[in-house]
Amino acid sequence: MTRIIMHGCNGAMGQVISGLVAQDPEAGIVAGIDISDTKKNDYPVFASLKDCNVEADVIIDFASAKAEDALLDYCAKTGMPVVVCTTGLSPEQVEKVSETAKTAPVLRSANMSLGVNVLLKLVQEAAQVLASAGFDIEILEKHHNQKVDAPSGTALALADSINEAMGGIYHYKYDRSTERVKRDQKEIGIQAVRGGTIVGEHDVIFAGKDEVITFNHTAYSKAIFGKGAVEAAKFLAGKQPGLYTMKDVIG
Ligand SMILES: NC(=O)c1ccc[n+]([C@@H]2O[C@H](COP(=O)([O-])OP(=O)(O)OC[C@H]3O[C@@H](n4cnc5c(N)ncnc54)[C@H](O)[C@@H]3O)[C@@H](O)[C@H]2O)c1
């Protein structure tokens, strides 16, 4: 059984993961770390990692960028594997993640969903065949009306993934209303829809002559990120120091 310390255990994702792990015979949360004590958990909760004296195999981190430096210092010092899911890290913190990976196994991903990470691979394979055959590529993403950034980080990651596989030939087009020109073959159009409570939907459209292939990923709840994080934790426990990604988890 993989013994997990849940960093940020009383937050939205910490609680999602507590629920998922409670149903998982291969994993268990042995301790939680959180500065808030608003939730009841069936494991001990400590205010900081240095107060925690419970033996564990891996840390899952869904907390706050403000908490990241202390977490990384702890892992660098102890060699404890860590799955970093917290977003909004500064460039210095991203650098510190790489430094930490010299003495501890570290896996970091801005999107922990297994489905999205498989999609990132699938669109590369599709682009290599279809883009070369003249198919146009468009990405449509839909999110709830509370989201302030657009396009989504995942839409950009999908475009980047395709671009990487195609040798960086594409530029991205976010708005076609400002000029009257036909689309360029070397562009990926990225459009955002905002409304209601849509958790997250991404369509990657390959449009060719008389045929269209659409890859769709729909998120129905935040549990998809939790599921991916737990799989990543099982993967990372016992690994050698180094920087890992979700690509390593899905193989
Ligand atoms: N990588 C992904 O796929 C993915 C998916 C969802 C959320 N996230 C990110 O994960 C993070 C957490 O998301 P959330 O929705 O659970 O947020 P949240 O605000 O609900 O929970 C964060 C928790 O961290 C705790 N915390 C804050 N500072 C702390 C510290 N110094 N030490 C210990 N605990 C501390 C808070 O008290 C809170 O309980 C955010 O950065 C979010 O963007 C990433």
Side-chain angles (χ1 to χ4, degrees):
M1 188 188 78
T2 306
R3 298 167 300 173
I4 297 168
I5 293 179
M6 185 64 232
H7 191 247
C9 64
N10 288 339
M13 286 307 305
Q15 291 295 295
V16 164
I17 290 175
S18 301
L20 286 171
V21 173
Q23 311 292 321
D24 187 339
E26 293 171 6
I29 297 183
V30 290
I33 310 293
D34 208 299
I35 49 171
S36 136
D37 63 354
T38 49
K39 297 282 183 324
K40 270 210 170 326
N41 297 293
D42 54 10
Y43 46 79
V45 177
F46 303 88
S48 81
L49 273 164
K50 61 179 178 357
D51 300 333
C52 175
N53 53 3
V54 179
E55 269 199 35
D57 302 307
V58 59
I59 298 174
I60 296 179
D61 164 49
F62 274 101
S64 154
K66 283 185 197 147
E68 208 60 29
D69 290 315
L71 168 70
L72 293 173
D73 287 342
Y74 175 89
C75 294
K77 198 168 145 201
T78 59
M80 174 71 89
V82 60
V83 180
V84 176
C85 310
T86 298
T87 57
L89 304 190
S90 68
E92 293 75 25
Q93 287 176 317
V94 172
E95 182 56 38
K96 193 165 177 152
V97 168
S98 303
E99 272 302 304
T100 306
K102 290 179 181 161
T103 51
V106 183
L107 186 150
R108 177 172 163 260
S109 173
N111 190 318
M112 295 302 299
S113 148
L114 291 173
V116 164
N117 281 284
V118 170
L119 185 60
L120 286 167
K121 265 177 80 167
L122 290 176
V123 294
Q124 287 194 323
E125 284 175 36
Q128 275 160 347
V129 179
L130 301 173
S132 309
F135 281 59
D136 298 320
I137 306 171
E138 295 279 311
I139 297 174
L140 176 64
E141 58 98 339
K142 303 176 193 168
H143 284 88
H144 52 84
N145 59 19
Q146 299 301 301
K147 188 170 176 63
V148 290
D149 57 311
S152 67
T154 301
L156 287 171
L158 286 162
D160 288 347
S161 187
I162 291 169
N163 212 9
E164 185 194 303
M166 299 304 295
I169 58 170
Y170 287 105
H171 60 269
Y172 306 156
K173 186 88 177 174
Y174 304 105
D175 181 7
R176 293 210 173 81
S177 68
T178 54
E179 47 184 8
R180 289 191 163 267
V181 289
K182 288 184 188 167
R183 96 189 286 294
D184 178 357
Q185 261 243 288
K186 297 283 183 290
E187 77 187 29
I188 299 177
I190 308 179
Q191 310 300 326
V193 171
R194 294 288 173 267
T197 56
I198 302 169
V199 175
E201 200 172 322
H202 293 85
D203 285 340
V204 182
I205 302 162
F206 291 88
K209 185 165 162 39
D210 299 331
E211 59 179 339
V212 173
I213 300 176
T214 303
F215 289 83
N216 169 270
H217 179 271
T218 304
Y220 291 104
S221 84
K222 283 188 164 191
I224 61 168
F225 307 120
K227 170 87 180 128
V230 174
E231 292 308 315
K234 289 181 196 167
F235 165 86
L236 200 64
K239 286 280 183 300
Q240 290 299 312
L243 194 54
Y244 299 84
T245 70
M246 285 303 281
K247 266 192 186 166
D248 300 306
V249 178
I250 59 179

